[in-house]
Amino acid sequence: MLTDDGNTTFLIAFAGSEPVGHLNLRWLGTNEAEVRAYVTETPELSQISVWPPEMQSQGIGTRMITAAEAMITDRGHGQVGLGVEVTNERARRLYERLGYLDWGHGVYRDRWAEVDEDGNEVAHEDPCVYLLKRLSVSDNALANH
């Protein structure tokens, strides 16, 4: 299942009728100024998550990423990026196995906020590394753009 507002496509993975994962595809790229200084006009994958823990390591994340990459190449983009927390070694291994490479500009700070159960906004700042992957754009996508 996916929802698309033109700027963002939200993919949801299901096991039967139960949601077990999601991925946010930002067509306009990252909001992080530190990354935008080097990476422009590159769609970004974010908020990649698979749950509950017993659903992890079953290829759900890989299938969501592969589906997002196909959408990206269909729109004529030749590159995709994503940020991964420095401490999230498991996710980084997955991304590198799928062909994502370190962007070469060191660690940046991913800044985001959420609302807690009391309605208070809580700010976060996580050290991350940005990874990029070159994609093969199909002839069909080029003809449509």
Side-chain angles (χ1 to χ4, degrees), residues 67-117:
E69 290 173 355
M71 294 171 71
I72 292 165
T73 59
D74 284 349
R75 289 200 187 181
H77 296 278
Q79 181 172 262
V80 61
L82 58 81
V84 61
E85 286 185 41
V86 171
T87 58
N88 195 345
E89 295 174 15
R90 182 176 183 191
R92 185 167 180 171
R93 281 193 306 272
L94 168 64
Y95 304 144
E96 289 175 344
R97 183 173 51 78
L98 295 175
Y100 288 78
L101 303 172
D102 189 302
W103 71 327
H105 299 286
V107 174
Y108 73 97
R109 299 283 175 190
D110 182 27
R111 294 168 182 88
W112 56 283
E114 66 181 338
V115 177
D116 68 15
E117 60 269 358

Side-chain angles (χ1 to χ4, degrees), residues 33-44:
E34 291 175 76
V35 176
R36 284 182 93 58
Y38 299 99
V39 180
T40 59
E41 299 182 26
T42 298
E44 179 186 65

Side-chain angles (χ1 to χ4, degrees), residues 112-132:
W112 56 283
E114 66 181 338
V115 177
D116 68 15
E117 60 269 358
D118 296 324
N120 301 311
E121 187 171 294
V122 179
H124 298 273
E125 186 174 303
D126 302 317
C128 294
V129 172
Y130 208 75
L131 306 176
L132 294 167

